[in-house]
Amino acid sequence: MDLINNGVICAIETSCDETAVSVVRNGTEVLSNIIYSQIDVHKKYGGVVPEIAARKHVEIINHIFKEALKEANIRSSDIDRFAVTYGPGLVGALIVGVSFAKAMAYALKRPLIPVNHMHAHIFANFLTHKDLKPPFICLVVSGGHTHIVDFSGYNSIRVIGKTRDDAAGEAFDKIARALGIGYPGGPVIDRMAASGNGEAYSFPKVSFADNDYDFSFSGPKTAVLNFMNTAKQKNIGYRTEDICASFQKSICDILAEKSIKACIEKKYKVLCLAGGVAANSYLRMKVSKMGKGSGIDVFYPELRYCTDNAAMVAARAFYAKEDDKYIFLNATADLKIDIDNDK
Ligand code: KG4
Ligand code: ZN
C-alpha cells in the first residue's frame, strides 16, 4: 500500500485523563512519548471527573507538546504531519487536543490526520511488533470499551463482538472501588490477585445464543457486590486478595475464551490484545497459553503502549488514508470502530 504518512508525525491524545504528545518517525520509530496522567487529581473522586479533566488538559498541553519536541530533539518545523484523537471519549477533553492540533497544523501549514482512539489502541501492537501484519483478531479492552475486532486490513476493521453492558476495565474499576483498594482498579486488582486464590470463589460467566462473541460483565460485578454485602451482614470474613483473583479470573477467562474461539472460527492464526486491560498479567498469560494450545500466535503491546498514550495515535495515523488539513474537524464523543476503506 502507499504510505502517504511517512516522515515525522506529531500525535496528540486527550480523550480521557491523560494528556499525551508523541513524535514518531516512519510509523514505528518513537522519538518521544510524553504522558501526563491526571490520576492523582481524579483519585479522590473514585473516577474521572470530565470537567476537571478538560481543564487540566488546557493547563498542561502546551508544556507536554514542548517536552515532546525537546525529547525528540526536533523543532516544530521538522514535523511533517499532525495527528489527533478526535473520538470516542469525553467530549470536553477531546476538544482540547483537537483545538490544539488544529491550531498547530494551521500555523505550520501541515496536514492533520484525525484518529479514532480505539483504532489507535489496536495499532499500538505495530509499535511493539514491527513484523506484525493483518489479518488478525484483536481483543480491544479498555475502561470504556470491550470489543472483539476482525482486523482484515489496516483500514478494514469490523466489530464482531462487544459488551452489552459494562466494559471490562469499568468492571475492574467498580469492584476496586467497592473493595476500597484504589483507582484505577485494574492495576491494583492485578497486583493483589497475585497473592490470592483464583479458585476461592466462582462468579458467573455469561453467554448469548444470538452472538457468542458478545460479553456481559454486569453479572459477575453484581455477584461480587452481593457476596460482599452478604459477608458484611453475616459478619463473615474474606481475603480481599482472593476476591481480586477470583473476579479477575472470571473476567479474563471469558475474554480469552471468546477471542481464541473467534480466531479458530474465522481461521485466523494471530490474536492481538489492545487497550488498558491488555496490561493485565493474568489475561496475557491465559491468552498466550490458550493460543499455544490452538496454534495461534498471541501479541500484545508493551505495557506503556497499552494504556492511553500518543505514540499509538501516530502509529495509526501512519496507515491512515485520510490526509487533509481538517480545519473543520470536530471532537466526537461517540465514534464507531467499523471502517471498510482498504479498496
Ligand atoms: O485504555 P485505557 O488507558 O483508557 C481507556 O481508553 O479507557 O484503559 C484504562 C482501563 C482502566 O479501566 C484500568 O482499570 C484498566 O484499563 N487497566 C487494567 C490494568 N491496567 C489498566 N485492567 C486490568 N489489569 C491491569 N493491569
Ligand atoms: Zn484508551
Side-chain angles (χ1 to χ4, degrees), residues 12-19 38 50-51 53-59 61 83-104 112 115 326-334:
I12 292 145
E13 157 67 46
T14 62
S15 67
C16 191
D17 60 341
E18 267 94 21
T19 319
Q38 305 174 359
E51 178 68 23
R55 285 170 191 270
K56 282 277 152 200
H57 286 311
V58 173
E59 275 172 28
I61 191 157
V84 66
T85 300
Y86 75 110
L90 303 171
V91 77
L94 287 162
I95 284 171
V96 180
V98 169
S99 308
F100 185 86
K102 279 162 75 170
M104 292 306 299
L112 170 60
V115 168
Y326 278 93
I327 289 312
F328 299 107
L329 178 67
N330 280 322
T332 311
D334 257 335

Side-chain angles (χ1 to χ4, degrees), residues 10-290:
C10 174
I12 292 145
E13 157 67 46
T14 62
S15 67
C16 191
D17 60 341
E18 267 94 21
T19 319
V21 180
S22 174
V23 177
V24 177
R25 190 189 284 140
N26 298 337
T28 55
E29 196 188 333
V30 180
L31 304 183
S32 67
N33 182 34
I34 310 294
I35 304 168
Y36 169 76
S37 169
Q38 305 174 359
I39 280 180
D40 286 342
V41 183
H42 299 286
K43 230 176 204 162
K44 54 179 171 289
Y45 305 102
V48 178
V49 183
E51 178 68 23
I52 297 178
R55 285 170 191 270
K56 282 277 152 200
H57 286 311
V58 173
E59 275 172 28
I60 200 93
I61 191 157
N62 209 17
H63 303 287
I64 301 296
F65 174 70
K66 284 186 182 156
E67 210 178 314
L69 294 198
K70 195 171 162 207
E71 188 166 315
N73 201 17
I74 62 162
R75 287 181 304 200
S76 55
S77 56
D78 296 326
I79 297 168
D80 296 307
R81 285 172 174 75
F82 285 88
V84 66
T85 300
Y86 75 110
L90 303 171
V91 77
L94 287 162
I95 284 171
V96 180
V98 169
S99 308
F100 185 86
K102 279 162 75 170
M104 292 306 299
Y106 185 72
L108 291 165
K109 298 188 175 53
R110 299 291 194 273
L112 170 60
I113 303 161
V115 168
N116 178 317
H117 181 76
M118 303 318 293
H119 293 172
H121 272 302
I122 301 172
F123 279 77
N125 281 284
F126 295 109
L127 292 172
T128 302
H129 309 289
K130 316 266 190 235
D131 297 328
L132 175 67
K133 289 197 168 50
F136 53 77
I137 293 290
C138 188
L139 171 67
V140 193
V141 266
S142 72
H145 296 83
T146 303
H147 293 295
I148 296 183
V149 168
D150 180 343
F151 191 97
S152 54
Y154 297 103
N155 291 287
S156 300
I157 307 173
R158 194 167 59 91
V159 173
I160 56 170
K162 60 180 185 307
T163 181
R164 296 193 182 185
D165 40 58
D166 291 353
E170 189 182 353
F172 271 98
D173 294 339
K174 286 179 178 167
I175 292 303
R177 190 170 171 175
L179 289 167
I181 54 176
Y183 170 84
V188 197
I189 290 183
D190 196 349
R191 234 178 2 257
M192 292 190 77
S195 48
N197 174 9
E199 308 286 345
Y201 307 105
S202 159
F203 299 119
K205 283 187 193 174
V206 183
S207 288
F208 295 101
D210 55 336
N211 183 357
D212 204 29
Y213 298 139
D214 276 0
F215 300 98
S216 166
F217 296 117
S218 74
K221 182 197 72 188
T222 309
V224 177
L225 297 177
N226 286 344
F227 169 83
M228 287 167 60
N229 283 336
T230 311
K232 198 171 166 191
Q233 276 165 11
K234 296 190 175 166
N235 217 4
I236 302 169
Y238 56 79
R239 285 183 75 229
T240 303
E241 290 84 351
D242 290 344
I243 301 264
C244 289
S246 303
F247 172 71
Q248 175 175 272
K249 182 170 168 14
S250 74
I251 301 284
C252 297
D253 281 356
I254 197 95
L255 288 172
E257 283 159 21
K258 294 197 182 205
S259 343
I260 294 285
K261 181 170 169 260
C263 282
I264 295 171
E265 289 181 353
K266 303 274 174 198
K267 300 191 170 35
Y268 283 2
K269 288 279 161 219
V270 175
L271 171 64
C272 292
L273 306 184
V277 183
N280 186 269
S281 52
Y282 178 85
L283 179 65
R284 287 171 172 233
M285 181 278 294
K286 179 81 186 181
V287 176
S288 302
K289 203 167 151 190
M290 287 186 73

